[in-house]
């Protein structure tokens, strides 16, 4: 029996089990035994019930669902019982107009977007593979198609000869035209000048926030074909929303961002190919002084539901495979889950932590924390919005102290030590700001720092 098939036992037959049979057919298949107790022991059925059930069960299954199940009479220790074997069906099965799904002991009704997805899957199709009859190849944006060709040639995914073809042939070669000759949704998203005409929310929203989520400083939206949105978004985030802090190694001038650009690009591309575009919500990027959040209304393949699992070797199963195929041909994404390896490599170059993934029913949220080098530079940077070391020292000497510094010192009156995280909690300030306060207090000889296995701890001198 296949690994995922369900086996269940019941002492007697009830018509509600027809819902279970429908659920088996829509899941992995299953076997239902009538005449066994909850422990799987045969308790038997009467001759009267046997004759009736062997006749009505197959007929009810066929009449209500249009499928055929194997209904067998079996014997054990002179007791008779019935075995009902249901195979997984390639098409979605309904019972009295409802679609049931039963796996193990879990039974649920399939509705809404899940039902739409299940129907498409049963037809061997995906959302991004559905046709758009009114869209023509001549409606696609020339600059977007040329960008694909340029990137594909540069990465060796297409030869120059393969790109010197009519646009219709190119779309066919990219599997973006269906069997009826219509362009599919993936083509529209990738190359149409205004995909929001067809799919609401197919853009990227960016905002810069201050100390709280309600403190929105400024924002932008990136519209247009998806293949053009990627570079526009990366450029915008790394020129307007993130500043590079400068340090020197010898005479070499080095720019340090909070998060490696290559890792950010891979996370953005993952958001694009895994997004559920039927949700009508844009991808949202929230930038703070010391972290970035990237959210999309999508889902990861079954089993990849945590940060740890994502960064282990796994196969590539994009939510929008046709759209992913376009980005693969362009050389912008890798196959076989290689994107997460690239994120790991990029984070290692900065000595930063891996992004943290929160995957749930409301979507996928990725948290990218600033690397230690950036936080170190930020805490010592005179040109930022934080209070300067000199000003803290001056206020300490004059008896005037910034409120947050007073809170830190007040805490140390009653506690032996304080950590950066504790400082963030009592002041309500960011990690970078609290590190700056603690560094300034150390520099002026009020507190001292001691390294531990759990990080730096500070205490009064």
């Amino acid at each position: 029996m296949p690994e995922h098939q369900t086996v269940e036992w019941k002492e007697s037959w009830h018509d509600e089990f027809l819902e279970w049979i429908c659920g088996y057919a829509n899941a992995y298949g299953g076997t239902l035994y009538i005449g066994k107790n909850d422990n799987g022991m045969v308790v038997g059925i009467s001759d009267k019930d046997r004759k009736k059930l062997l006749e009505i069960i197959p007929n009810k299954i066929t009449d209500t669902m249009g499928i055929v199940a194997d209904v067998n009479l079996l014997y054990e220790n002179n007791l008779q019982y019935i075995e009902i074997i249901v195979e997984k069906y390639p098409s979605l099965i309904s019972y009295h107009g409802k679609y049931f799904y039963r796996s193990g002991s879990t039974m649920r009704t399939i509705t809404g977007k899940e039902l739409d997805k299940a129907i498409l899957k049963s037809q061997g199709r995906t959302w991004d593979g559905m046709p758009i009859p009114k869209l023509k190849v001549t409606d696609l944006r020339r600059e977007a198609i040329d960008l694909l060709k340029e990137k594909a040639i540069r990465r060796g995914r297409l030869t120059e000869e393969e790109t010197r073809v009519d646009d219709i042939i190119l779309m066919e070669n990219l599997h973006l035209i269906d069997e009826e000759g219509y362009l599919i949704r993936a083509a529209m998203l990738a190359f149409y000048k205004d995909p929001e005409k067809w799919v609401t929310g197919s853009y990227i929203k960016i905002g810069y926030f201050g100390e709280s989520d309600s403190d929105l400083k400024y924002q932008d939206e990136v519209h247009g074909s998806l293949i053009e949105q990627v570079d526009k978004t990366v450029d915008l985030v790394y020129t307007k929303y993130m500043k590079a802090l400068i340090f020197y190694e010898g005479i070499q001038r080095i720019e340090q961002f909070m998060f490696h650009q290559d890792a950010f690009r891979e996370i953005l591309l993952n958001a694009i190919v895994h997004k559920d575009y039927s949700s009508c919500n844009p991808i949202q990027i929230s930038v703070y002084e010391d972290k970035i959040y990237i959210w999309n209304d999508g889902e990861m393949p079954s089993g990849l539901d945590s940060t740890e699992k994502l960064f282990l070797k796994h196969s590539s199963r994009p939510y929008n495979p046709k759209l992913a195929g376009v980005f693969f041909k362009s050389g912008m994404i890798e196959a076989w889950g290689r994107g997460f390896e690239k994120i790991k490599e990029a984070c290692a170059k900065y000595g930063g932590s891996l992004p943290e993934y929160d995957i749930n029913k409301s979507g996928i949220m990725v948290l990218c924390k600033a690397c230690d080098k950036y936080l170190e530079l930020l805490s010592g940077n005179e040109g930022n919005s934080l209070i300067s070391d000199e000003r803290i020292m001056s206020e300490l000497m004059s008896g005037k102290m910034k409120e947050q510094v007073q809170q830190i010192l007040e805490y140390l009156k009653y506690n032996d030590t304080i950590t950066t995280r504790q400082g963030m909690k009592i002041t309500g300030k960011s990690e970078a700001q609290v590190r700056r306060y603690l560094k300034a207090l150390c520099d002026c000889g009020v507190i001292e720092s001691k390294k531990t296995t759990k990080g730096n701890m500070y205490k009064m001198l």
Side-chain angles (χ1 to χ4, degrees), residues 92-360:
L92 206 60
I93 303 302
S94 68
Y95 172 66
H96 289 329
K98 292 184 178 180
Y99 296 86
F100 297 94
Y101 186 97
R102 190 172 184 89
S103 180
S105 60
T106 303
M107 167 73 92
R108 55 191 175 86
T109 305
I110 309 173
T111 59
K113 288 195 303 181
E114 186 183 14
L115 177 58
D116 294 338
K117 182 181 174 183
I119 292 173
L120 288 173
K121 185 177 180 181
S122 71
Q123 298 169 346
R125 313 191 80 160
T126 57
W127 180 92
D128 65 332
M130 294 302 291
I132 304 180
K134 293 184 180 180
L135 184 66
K136 300 177 182 178
V137 173
T138 52
D139 296 329
L140 302 181
R141 180 169 158 80
R142 166 52 45 200
E143 292 82 354
I145 295 174
D146 289 343
L147 181 61
L148 167 85
K149 292 179 178 180
E150 174 192 333
K151 289 179 176 291
I153 292 171
R154 190 188 315 147
R155 290 297 304 274
R157 300 286 169 83
L158 292 175
T159 65
E160 290 193 22
E161 183 178 355
E162 287 173 319
T163 62
R164 291 199 204 100
V165 295
D166 184 86
D167 287 344
I168 294 179
I169 296 175
L170 179 64
M171 293 299 118
E172 288 177 342
N173 292 341
L174 292 172
H175 306 295
L176 298 177
I177 296 180
D178 76 351
E179 61 274 8
E180 300 296 327
Y182 296 119
L183 282 169
I184 62 174
R185 285 170 174 162
M188 177 275 297
L189 288 169
F191 301 113
Y192 190 64
K193 64 180 179 181
D194 182 20
E196 293 161 67
K197 175 181 177 180
W198 306 92
V199 179
T200 302
S202 50
Y203 66 97
I204 298 171
K205 192 173 183 178
I206 312 169
Y208 186 87
F209 293 82
E211 296 179 6
S212 67
D213 291 342
S214 61
D215 187 16
L216 176 62
K217 301 293 187 183
Y218 49 90
Q219 61 182 323
D220 287 283
E221 293 179 356
V222 180
H223 299 269
S225 68
L226 294 192
I227 201 164
E228 293 176 288
Q229 283 187 30
V230 177
D231 289 341
K232 288 179 183 177
T233 300
V234 174
D235 290 344
L236 186 58
V237 168
Y238 278 80
T239 55
K240 180 177 179 179
Y241 285 80
M242 271 196 254
K243 63 181 178 182
L245 302 181
I246 309 302
F247 71 99
Y248 291 85
E249 289 185 353
I251 61 172
Q252 184 180 5
R253 182 179 185 271
I254 298 175
E255 293 185 344
Q256 177 72 56
F257 287 98
M258 74 162 85
F259 194 74
H260 200 290
Q261 184 170 316
D262 290 349
F264 175 81
R265 178 184 291 273
E266 289 297 323
I267 294 169
L268 176 62
L269 285 163
N270 274 335
I272 288 172
V273 301
H274 285 286
K275 177 183 170 181
D276 179 1
Y277 287 89
S278 68
S279 69
C280 301
N281 293 315
I283 292 171
Q284 298 172 32
I285 301 172
S286 305
V287 184
Y288 294 78
E289 182 181 55
D290 55 358
K291 59 182 176 286
I292 314 165
Y293 287 102
I294 304 164
W295 177 86
N296 77 294
D297 194 341
E299 63 182 67
M300 287 295 188
S302 175
L304 298 178
D305 55 359
S306 67
T307 299
E308 293 75 17
K309 292 178 181 178
L310 285 168
F311 284 97
L312 296 174
K313 185 173 179 57
H314 61 270
S315 61
S316 178
R317 289 175 286 164
Y319 190 83
N320 299 292
K322 295 290 187 180
L323 185 61
V326 174
F327 281 97
F328 172 74
K329 282 295 185 183
S330 74
M332 298 171 75
I333 67 172
E334 303 286 347
W336 307 110
R338 168 76 177 128
F340 286 96
E341 281 298 317
K342 293 181 71 174
I343 294 172
K344 189 185 296 185
E345 291 167 4
C347 290
K349 290 177 183 177
Y350 266 13
S353 59
L354 293 176
E356 299 173 10
Y357 284 76
D358 181 9
I359 303 168
N360 53 58

